[in-house]
Amino acid sequence: MSEEKSLNFLEEIVESDLATGKHKAILTRFPPEPNGYLHVGHAKSICLNFGLAKKYNGKTNLRFDDTNPVTEDTEYVDSIKEDIHWLGFEWENELYASDYFEQIYQFAVQLIGKGLAYVDDSSSEEIAAQKGTPTQAGTDNTFRSRSIEDNLRLFEEMRAGKYADGAKVLRAKIDMASPNMLMRDPIIYRIKHAHHHRTGDNWCIYPMYDFAHGQSDSIEKITHSICTLEFIPHRPMYEWFIEQLGIFPSKQYEFARLNMTYTVMSKRKLLQLVNDGHVNGWDDPRMPTISAMRRKGYTPESIREFCEKIGVARRENLIDIGLLEFCVREHLNRIALRRMVVFDPLKLVITSYPEAETEMFRCEDNPENPDGSYREVPFSRELYIEKDDFMEVPSKKYFRLAPGQMVRLKSAYIIKCDEVIKDENGNITELRCTHLPETKSGNDTSGIHVKGTLHWVSVAHAVHTELRLYERLFKAENVADAEGDFKENINPDSLQVIATAYAEPALKTAKFDERYQFLRKGYFCLDKDSNEEKIIFNRTVTLKDGWAKENKKVSIT
Ligand code: ATP
Ligand code: MG
């Protein structure tokens, strides 16, 4: 019997709301602002909103919170939709807060009509000064007592474009002495003569986030509006507007945002990294964006599993990026096709092997996968192995190749190193070895046991590839809390390019939707920069414990 998982606090709330009949069905929403590409923090929010609805047979809207015309763009809208689909979720409706502009405007008119909003001509400095401090009440200004008729006229004139940016704002008339500073007559509309990516030049006044978000929730009849903890102080405002307008009572709930070690998680900062050329675009595999993780070879399954594992917290925390990498490895181990690639070649000649001969070895694609698929790997007299799989003067526990020492070539033969060839400068250029024909893999009658198994590639069949190895983009574990500008913590060695590696021929037809484990080296995927002339692979993630452990595993299977 499977263990019953305890409910998180949101699931408890939903179950109770369904049980009491408060809601017949739940409707959540994911509300991105289309001002950048989604990152792994958004993935958490997506998994939460869509996951919760799915679990309780509800639905989820995708709503673009596009109330700020200046920073938004349709490029971002498209990427956001692609990312959500790729993560494996389907939205019920694709909606835009900007589609509600007329209705939100009418809500504002309604508030004015009830004496609950006023046009304020003060400058932003004056408004800030009048707001008081957390321990001192704010002060009313003369505009606060404007008549309803004046406010209605002025607001209409604001909409008509009579005033310049910043000349006037519309404020809710709540309480200038509220202990919650946000309730001290928040600004709900500002003048901005700016082109909007959807509404064009129809509007020159735009609602503030707090006057658009809750109302949009309410218009859509969202039952559970889930956001991050920093919106707790906004909740009274959210409720006040809904109550004063007498509209559908959507409810706001807050959870802790995802913070991850060695990572910045704000679109604003990520945009800086892109604009300042620290990375090559939003989908540079070093970025924490969903598009970058996709390009790097992460799978949607592994990201969903990660989000499930971290759960839903109500207090700020910092998640180890190693946990995400763990989830990626776990999934890739199950699905990745095993391939052999030599990163730093050393030529090896098997003098006992006929010159003209090529043998095809049948090698399993993935020993973890019972489907038994395989590929053929050519073996011939001249091979590449890794330079660091040979030591001329081996240390005691060195089980790889050394003069007079034997190793197994993965899926092929046991070989013995007879001779080391060097150039005039004393650099090793070639190893001469002999093979033991009776040790052929799968049919070994020799009874000889060796401790080391090496990967290799036949020289004549090798496919040249470029490899891109990624390290963490930041040196500091907690980038947000580190001293100085976050860019000072950028790791200068986050990308290493191996211009020519040698791959077994099966990789010549590598596909974008396939994942690979390069034996003893790591998990890799085909990069989109690949073309007819050049095949490029990204390292998705390293193998768990480096050489020793992996080598043992390779020898067994
Ligand atoms: P950023 O500061 O990175 O721009 P944001 O919160 O401004 O993020 P939005 O597009 O407004 O970005 O966010 C869409 C949804 O994703 C919101 O509901 C927000 O709470 C959620 N979200 C954003 N960042 C995180 C995070 N790190 N962890 C969990 N949820 C997040
Ligand atoms: Mg935002």
Side-chain angles (χ1 to χ4, degrees):
M1 240 174 56
S2 72
E3 208 177 307
E4 187 96 351
K5 246 191 108 197
S6 63
L7 301 177
N8 67 46
F9 79 97
L10 291 167
E11 291 168 336
E12 277 173 8
I13 290 167
V14 168
E15 292 206 356
S16 141
D17 288 350
L18 291 172
T20 60
K22 181 175 174 190
H23 300 296
K24 281 206 186 64
I26 69 161
L27 180 61
T28 61
R29 88 285 173 262
F30 175 65
E33 191 183 343
N35 61 351
Y37 283 65
L38 298 183
H39 52 62
V40 60
H42 296 113
K44 172 70 213 174
S45 174
I46 291 168
C47 289
L48 182 57
N49 279 297
F50 284 87
L52 196 64
K54 207 166 173 178
K55 179 164 179 183
Y56 294 102
N57 289 319
K59 289 173 177 153
T60 305
N61 283 345
L62 167 60
R63 180 175 71 238
F64 290 99
D65 242 338
D66 56 349
T67 54
N68 185 0
V70 185
T71 52
E72 296 163 3
D73 199 281
T74 40
E75 174 199 346
Y76 299 133
V77 169
D78 295 340
S79 78
I80 288 169
K81 283 159 57 176
E82 185 184 359
D83 287 349
I84 299 172
H85 269 145
W86 179 76
L87 276 175
F89 297 106
E90 291 289 335
W91 50 86
E92 178 66 11
N93 296 301
E94 176 186 332
L95 302 162
Y96 294 81
S98 57
D99 287 346
Y100 308 140
F101 278 169
E102 182 61 39
Q103 195 161 358
I104 294 172
Y105 176 84
Q106 293 306 332
F107 285 149
V109 170
Q110 222 175 301
L111 281 189
I112 296 173
K114 290 176 83 176
L116 293 173
Y118 61 99
V119 173
D120 192 332
D121 301 357
S122 312
S123 67
S124 51
E125 292 78 19
E126 284 163 343
I127 289 177
Q130 292 157 6
K131 263 227 155 131
T133 66
T135 50
Q136 201 180 11
T139 44
D140 297 2
N141 63 26
T142 52
F143 305 110
R144 201 172 196 267
S145 46
R146 262 182 170 147
S147 70
I148 291 176
E149 292 68 35
D150 281 353
N151 282 318
L152 285 172
R153 179 180 46 83
L154 289 167
F155 189 49
E156 210 177 305
E157 287 173 358
M158 279 168 67
R159 175 183 185 167
K162 197 167 171 193
Y163 306 107
D165 288 10
K168 289 181 172 24
V169 292
L170 184 72
R171 296 176 71 177
K173 198 182 208 173
I174 306 181
D175 179 3
M176 285 304 286
S178 170
N180 179 343
M181 296 282 285
L182 294 176
M183 295 291 274
R184 295 184 186 175
D185 291 9
I187 296 173
I188 58 178
Y189 261 94
R190 68 235 195 271
I191 302 170
K192 220 170 218 179
H193 291 267
H195 188 84
H196 186 280
H197 72 113
R198 279 177 65 86
T199 58
D201 297 316
N202 291 352
W203 294 89
C204 62
I205 56 171
Y206 291 94
M208 300 298 284
Y209 172 88
D210 286 306
F211 197 66
H213 194 89
Q215 279 77 326
S216 302
D217 283 345
S218 184
I219 290 167
E220 293 172 20
K221 298 197 164 55
I222 300 297
T223 56
H224 299 79
S225 174
I226 301 164
C227 60
T228 43
L229 293 180
E230 65 274 23
F231 287 96
I232 290 177
H234 295 246
R235 198 193 320 140
M237 239 188 312
Y238 184 102
E239 291 173 350
W240 191 87
F241 290 133
I242 285 180
E243 201 184 312
Q244 300 306 325
L245 294 166
I247 52 181
F248 183 85
S250 299
K251 281 263 175 242
Q252 174 182 306
Y253 301 93
E254 308 87 9
F255 74 105
R257 61 191 296 117
L258 168 64
N259 300 304
M260 216 163 61
T261 56
Y262 303 102
T263 309
V264 298
M265 205 99 80
S266 126
K267 282 179 282 188
R268 189 178 52 79
K269 288 181 180 167
L270 297 177
L271 182 63
Q272 270 187 62
L273 293 175
V274 173
N275 287 345
D276 299 354
H278 295 289
V279 294
N280 304 313
W282 284 98
D283 69 347
D284 183 307
R286 293 167 290 180
M287 292 279 274
T289 56
I290 297 177
S291 50
M293 295 193 293
R294 173 167 64 234
R295 181 170 174 190
K296 197 178 175 187
Y298 284 23
T299 57
E301 291 88 339
S302 57
I303 296 170
R304 292 201 303 262
E305 175 64 18
F306 168 69
C307 292
E308 182 68 34
K309 271 195 161 57
I310 57 180
V312 186
R314 293 169 99 167
R315 274 212 264 148
E316 287 296 339
N317 55 18
L318 184 65
I319 302 286
D320 185 348
I321 194 173
L323 180 62
L324 175 58
E325 291 169 350
F326 169 84
C327 294
V328 173
R329 271 188 206 104
E330 274 225 319
H331 188 226
L332 291 182
N333 183 42
R334 281 184 274 131
I335 64 160
L337 305 173
R338 273 51 172 174
R339 297 290 184 258
M340 295 199 281
V341 178
V342 171
F343 288 28
D344 186 14
L346 173 60
K347 196 165 156 189
L348 182 152
V349 178
I350 303 178
T351 54
S352 54
Y353 199 83
E355 238 166 88
E357 195 163 323
T358 299
E359 256 179 291
M360 298 305 279
F361 288 119
R362 202 182 144 114
C363 301
E364 264 181 301
D365 276 330
N366 183 346
E368 306 283 324
N369 187 340
D371 78 351
S373 75
Y374 66 92
R375 86 279 185 196
E376 306 234 296
V377 183
F379 181 89
S380 63
R381 182 181 161 96
E382 295 193 353
L383 309 172
Y384 290 125
I385 62 163
E386 298 288 350
K387 222 172 239 163
D388 67 5
D389 276 341
F390 175 78
M391 252 179 131
E392 197 172 11
V393 185
S395 51
K396 209 164 172 203
K397 291 228 162 130
Y398 191 78
F399 299 121
R400 293 174 263 172
L401 206 55
Q405 212 157 285
M406 288 197 285
V407 293
R408 173 169 291 283
L409 294 178
K410 171 74 181 159
S411 301
Y413 300 100
I414 290 178
I415 57 163
K416 183 174 162 209
C417 178
D418 305 317
E419 196 185 345
V420 181
I421 311 290
K422 295 180 180 175
D423 63 15
E424 61 271 24
N425 300 319
N427 299 315
I428 299 171
T429 55
E430 192 178 302
L431 302 177
R432 302 246 163 109
C433 302
T434 40
H435 77 302
L436 287 70
E438 69 278 18
T439 61
K440 188 164 168 171
S441 269
N443 195 18
D444 187 339
T445 54
S446 71
I448 299 172
H449 287 287
V450 291
K451 285 213 169 117
T453 300
L454 309 186
H455 63 279
W456 51 272
V457 170
S458 164
V459 172
H461 305 88
V463 179
H464 290 202
T465 69
E466 177 182 308
L467 305 179
R468 296 179 182 171
L469 312 183
Y470 304 100
E471 298 290 341
R472 287 171 182 157
L473 188 54
F474 291 94
K475 293 177 291 185
E477 189 173 24
N478 191 342
V479 191
D481 287 356
E483 297 256 314
D485 185 272
F486 77 100
K487 291 197 264 15
E488 287 165 25
N489 284 299
I490 291 178
N491 172 11
D493 303 313
S494 58
L495 170 63
Q496 186 200 344
V497 177
I498 298 180
T500 314
Y502 296 93
E504 62 166 276
L507 284 171
K508 208 185 291 181
T509 52
K511 296 184 187 69
F512 285 108
D513 59 355
E514 285 179 341
R515 301 288 188 278
Y516 306 99
Q517 184 195 87
F518 293 175
L519 290 186
R520 303 170 64 221
K521 287 300 198 178
Y523 292 101
F524 285 79
C525 72
L526 190 64
D527 186 74
K528 68 168 191 187
D529 286 346
S530 300
N531 54 41
E532 294 281 299
E533 275 115 63
K534 197 151 93 176
I535 304 177
I536 303 168
F537 290 99
N538 294 316
R539 183 169 70 197
T540 308
V541 67
T542 55
L543 293 174
K544 204 176 190 172
D545 269 336
W547 189 82
K549 197 158 183 187
E550 201 52 31
N551 191 53
K552 208 159 111 208
K553 199 161 124 204
V554 169
S555 334
I556 298 164
T557 53

